[in-house]
Every structure is written in structure tokens, then in C-alpha cells.
Amino acid sequence: MIKLTINDSPIAVPKGTTILEAARSLGIHIPTLCHMNLHMDQFGVVNQASSCRVCMVEVKGRPALVTACSEKVTDGMHVSTHTPRAITARRMSVELLLSNHPKDCLMCPKNLECDLQKLAADLGVRDIKWAGERIDFEKDESSGAIVKDPNKCVMCRRCETMCNEVQTCGILSAVNRGFDTFVGPAFNLDMKDTSCTYCGQCVAVCPTAALTENNDIHKVWREINNPNKHVIVQVAPAIRVAVGELFDMPPGSISTGKLATSLKRLGFDAVYDTDFAADLTILEEASELVHRIQHGGTLPILTSCCPAWVQFFEHQYPDMLDIPSTCKSPQIMFGAIAKTYYAEKKGIDPKDIVVVSVMPCIAKKAEAKRTELSHHELQNVDYVLTTREYGLMLKEACIDFANLPEGDFDHMLGESTGASVIFGTTGGVIEAAARTAYEWLTGETLEQVELTQLRGLDGIRSGKVQIGDLELNIGIAHGLGNARKLLDCIKAGECNFQAIEIMACPGGCIGGGGQPYHHGDMEIIRQRQIAIYQEDRNKTKRKSHENQEVLDLYDKYLGKPYGEKAHELLHTHYVP
Ligand code: HC0
Ligand code: SF4
């Protein structure tokens, strides 16, 4: 152990610890901007750019200040974190950043959520010194999902670390040199012309508004207020355990009932649950799995509900497009059913139905616009709002979310089981599918519905589920870097799985790029996961094939799972 003092407090820490980490273990806060340390099992990812110079501290005997995020502790070191010299240097670093930064904080998408803004406030910056030349680049809104505004880039490289090290997508790196440098795609291509998956993990860690989501709020307000439109909304499984954070509720608060009430108060004509469509997805996906097992089809089957994952395998593994399930995602299945079965039952022209989704995910915006996910030239889903955008709508409407009474979703497309709730976390989709496949293949009741061997937050996991004589070997990965490892293993013929679940975001949808900012605190993701499993236990029905409204849909409209009509409406194909 290394012994040192920080602000006269003695401490012993392991060799290799940085001053920043040692100070944090003493409860001493040193401000940072570029630093990022995501501790989460295999996601122990550190952004070590040390570019912002905000964490400067003094070390006795050293003539120059040092950066606490990169400087390793040594025996007998005396560190002072808040000397006038250190604070002046920090303030100067922030003032230099501000000298080349837009000053439109009041209109900025990150207003009150921006790390640079907070630093300027905490350090008492009152004056922008060195007002000189400013960079001036165009915003890129080409993708309809992610907005890139290089003028707000502070070169912290957090997005780059996320995109390249965690997601292994390689989209972002430094463009240009010297004063003109910012982080973006090679040759400053439009985002739509890159292999970006729109996972939004770069957005999730950007400290400013250099990367944000496309804002669709005003379009949704316009539709809600159009008397000629029937506007229905669906909310994804992971929203209910995270949206409360936007209203100062603790991470892991379950707000399903408040969510239903809030949607009604905003004025949607009908309020539904993507969980209904997740149950529907399981009936299709479990049927596809059983079909592949019984008819010698391609195995392993890969889940296909995560749109960033779909973008990833289409771009990076075009030779393996026969492996993923052909099921559309629950969000898209919901839209397809809303504009056919629901329209018919309600006697409304599908052209007059607007489907809005509230999703934890930025890639869902791009998914909704995919041309093959439309029916009779109507998009299955019209608008996608992230959890954060939804929170902003509630604030605009002065809805005090935390104190709302509990409500319920509407009927026909609103019932859900515990199996669909767990879609929101890594491992949940495949656990839900296994619950149903077990009962279908054995004809017996699955008593132990919680398949804990599939749970956890390790980046790559595997577990076996015994189904009669069949031992189903299941692989799970979350984070696209882990997905790549698993796909490479299959490609090399070294992994023997029958079914694989992949989610692009660390933690699954609970860690989606559109969720409330967690500022790198992975404990928040863990709390959301605990809440998801609790919500599953809160349900009386916990298997998708017990969902009566889904069974009614098959009875009255679709025929049998994996049948002709189901194929027409609920399945898709992939584009290399
Ligand atoms: Fe997910 Fe989904 S579980 S991708 O993570 O399958 O976004 O929450 O809505 O579609 O249901 C996201 C979350 C969904 C879909 C569902 C799946
Ligand atoms: Fe990379 Fe994902 Fe950001 Fe695209 S959305 S640039 S793939 S981190």
C-alpha cells in the first residue's frame, strides 16, 4: 500500500491509484470534466485524455501543478487539492474553454444538465476572458436520431472512448488539427453516411451539447393538438424504472402507474404499453426458436429487438444475416398492430392514427424511419421520444410527476406480464422467451420462473436451461464490444449456443442512450435493474403466453403465432 496525505488527512491506497481516486475515497471532491470512469464488471472503462486540466492540484515539492486524474500516488506524497493556485488554474482552464464556446446556455438542449455550465457556476466564472476567434461548424442533424454540434465540443474524448472502446464502432475521432479540431466521423462525414448504430452511448457521456438526440417534442405536441388525428402512445419497459429520476425520485423507483396517469394528462387519445408488444414478440420469437429446433433451422437464433444491434450486425456482419430472428422489435410490432387490428376494431382509418413511442433509446428514432418497417406506405411508428424528451414534455405541461396518482393503461393493447417487463434489462428478453419455450416444448408448467442463471451485469454471460431432454445453451452480451466478441466466437465455430440475446447498451435498455443522464454512476443502472425484476415479481402473470389481450389478438385477427398473417405484419428482413 502507498501512504500519503491529502489536505492533511492520511490515507493508504493500492499502488497505481490516482490522486483523484485517493481523494474520492477520502470524500474529497476534485472537479473534473473530461474524466470518465465507468465501473461495471467488464465495463471498467476509463477515459484518460487529461485534456481539460480542470482537476489540477498541488503536490508538495513539485514546482508545477499536476492533473489529479492521471497522476499516480507515491509514498509520502502531500497533496493539497484546493489551494488558491489550484483553484485559479482550474478557473482559467474553464475560462479558456468558454472563450471558444457558444454562450446560448438558456436555449441549449443541455441547459441545467451540462457539466461545463456547472463547472463555470461552481468556480464562480463571471467574465469570459480572451474573447477572440471562435470555431464555427455546421450542426449535423442528418441521421434524424443524433445531433452533432461541433461548436460545443470540448475535446474531452469521452464519446470517442465510448464509441471505440466500449462499442467498438469506430465512428468518432479527432477531425482537423490545431484550433479547428473537434471530435466527429472521419472526414467529417454526415452521421447518416457512417456505420453509426445510433446507440447513443456517445450522447450519454457527452458533458455538453456536442452530441444530443433529435428533438421531436414539438411534432408530438402538434399531433396531440390536431383534432383530426387519433394519437396513441406506447411506453417501453425500461422507462418505468428511470423516468422518476427526472423528478428527483430515487433511482430504481417504479413508476408504472404514474406513467400511465401522466400520459393521459398530456392528452393522448389512448395510452398503451410496449410490454404488450413484448409479450407478442415472445410468442413470435419463441415460435421461431421452437420451429428452428424442430426443423433443423439455423442456430443459434439471435434476438433482433435492439435497433442499434440490428444496425451493427447489418454493417459489420453482412454474411451472417440468416442468424438473427426475423421478428420486428416490440416497438414496431406495436405500431403494426395499432394501424391494422386496432384501427379495424376502433373503426378509424389507419392514416388518421399517429403512433408515438416513449423509449429509453435513441436508435429507436432511426428504427421507426426504416422503410421496410412500414405497411401500405404508412410507417408503423410515427414519432419516438426519449425518456428525457418525455420528461421535458411533462415539465412543459407543469405535471408534478412524483405526486401523481397511480393509473392504468387502456385495454386492447395494454395488458402485460412479468416476462415483458424484464425486456428492459440485459438477459430479460431471452429469459422471457425461455419461460414460454419451456412450457410449449414440455407441455408442463414452469414453476421456477426466475431463471437466475441468465441474470447479472457481466458483459458476456452464458447459462443453460433444461427443457425436457433439450439442454438450451444461452449466450448473452450487452454493449456492442461484447456483442462483437460473441459474434466472432460463433463465426469461428468456437461457441456452441442455441440462442443469444444481445443489447447494444451497457445494462440493456435500462442504460439506453435516451435515459436520464447517469453521469457515469453505474450504481444507478444497477438500481434500475433491481426495480425491473421487482416489477416482474409484482405481476400476477409472468409468462408472455398468458397475456389474454395478446391471445385475443391471435384469436380475432392474426391466427396462429408464426403464421401467415403474423409473418406479414410482425416479421422483417435485414439489409446488408
Ligand atoms: Fe427496449 Fe424493447 S426492451 S428494445 O430495450 O425488445 O428501447 O425498454 O422498448 O422494442 O419491449 C428499448 C426497452 C424496448 C423494443 C421492448 C425490445
Ligand atoms: Fe458510436 Fe453509438 Fe455514438 Fe454512433 S451512436 S457514434 S455508434 S457511440
Side-chain angles (χ1 to χ4, degrees), residues 146 159-160 162-164 167-172 185 191 194-203 211 308 312 362 480:
I146 287 184
C159 58
E160 198 178 328
M162 208 60 186
C163 186
N164 300 340
Q167 302 298 63
T168 65
C169 292
I171 308 302
L172 301 173
M191 291 294 272
T194 70
S195 299
C196 176
T197 64
Y198 310 125
C199 71
Q201 286 303 304
C202 52
V203 174
L211 291 160
F312 183 80
I362 294 178
L480 290 171

Side-chain angles (χ1 to χ4, degrees), residues 20 35 68 91 145 165 209 266 274 277 281 294 297 388 420 460 500 508-509 532 543 554:
L20 182 69
H35 182 71
R91 189 181 298 113
E165 289 183 31
L266 280 189
T274 311
T281 304
Q294 291 177 337
R388 292 188 292 263
S420 60
I460 300 179
I500 292 180
C509 291
I532 284 272
K543 297 162 195 159
Y554 279 104

Side-chain angles (χ1 to χ4, degrees), residues 158 301 388 525 570:
R158 278 155 61 157
I301 190 170
R388 292 188 292 263
I525 305 283
L570 308 180

Side-chain angles (χ1 to χ4, degrees), residues 203-320:
V203 174
V205 298
C206 177
T208 66
L211 291 160
T212 53
E213 68 265 54
N214 254 87
N215 184 319
D216 290 305
I217 293 175
H218 59 287
K219 295 181 192 149
V220 173
W221 277 129
R222 194 184 57 212
E223 298 290 10
I224 288 177
N225 291 309
N226 181 345
N228 300 320
K229 295 288 181 187
H230 182 79
V231 188
I232 69 175
V233 66
Q234 57 168 328
V235 280
I239 308 292
R240 65 209 67 206
V241 296
V243 65
E245 292 164 32
L246 298 170
F247 298 89
D248 297 328
M249 293 165 73
S253 302
I254 301 173
S255 11
T256 317
K258 293 182 191 304
L259 201 48
T261 304
S262 68
L263 289 159
K264 285 183 179 158
R265 292 202 181 175
L266 280 189
F268 287 102
D269 294 308
V271 170
Y272 287 125
D273 199 347
T274 311
D275 289 21
F276 162 86
D279 280 331
L280 176 62
T281 304
I282 287 302
L283 266 67
E284 289 300 314
E285 205 164 87
S287 301
E288 190 179 358
L289 171 64
V290 169
H291 187 269
R292 289 201 201 181
I293 289 171
Q294 291 177 337
H295 295 87
T298 316
L299 290 174
I301 190 170
L302 299 174
T303 56
S304 56
C305 50
C306 167
W309 156 235
V310 169
Q311 290 273 128
F312 183 80
F313 71 63
E314 284 181 335
H315 285 141
Q316 315 256 349
Y317 295 86
D319 53 334
M320 294 171 79

Side-chain angles (χ1 to χ4, degrees), residues 29-80:
H29 174 70
I30 300 172
T32 58
L33 181 63
C34 66
H35 182 71
M36 174 176 80
N37 191 351
L38 302 173
H39 286 292
M40 193 169 137
D41 303 293
Q42 293 180 23
F43 297 107
V45 174
V46 180
N47 182 48
Q48 197 61 84
S50 303
S51 59
C52 71
R53 323 305 285 176
V54 166
C55 64
M56 300 296 241
V57 294
E58 278 200 83
V59 174
K60 193 173 172 188
R62 297 271 291 270
L65 297 170
V66 301
T67 46
C69 69
S70 61
E71 189 76 18
K72 304 276 194 309
V73 296
T74 55
D75 248 329
M77 195 180 230
H78 289 271
V79 180
S80 301

Side-chain angles (χ1 to χ4, degrees), residues 131-150:
E133 203 183 341
R134 289 256 316 274
I135 54 167
D136 185 15
F137 292 108
E138 282 194 11
K139 262 194 206 174
D140 174 8
E141 299 177 276
S142 61
S143 69
I146 287 184
V147 179
K148 180 171 66 64
D149 183 354

Side-chain angles (χ1 to χ4, degrees), residues 236-238 274 278 305 329-331 359-361 364 423-424 503 509:
T274 311
C305 50
S329 74
Q331 105 141 336
M359 295 279 142
C361 171
K364 290 279 177 199
F423 265 59
M503 286 291 177
C509 291

Side-chain angles (χ1 to χ4, degrees), residues 21 39 68 87 169 192 283 360 537:
E21 290 162 341
H39 286 292
I87 291 173
C169 292
K192 73 167 176 18
L283 266 67
R537 285 191 289 275

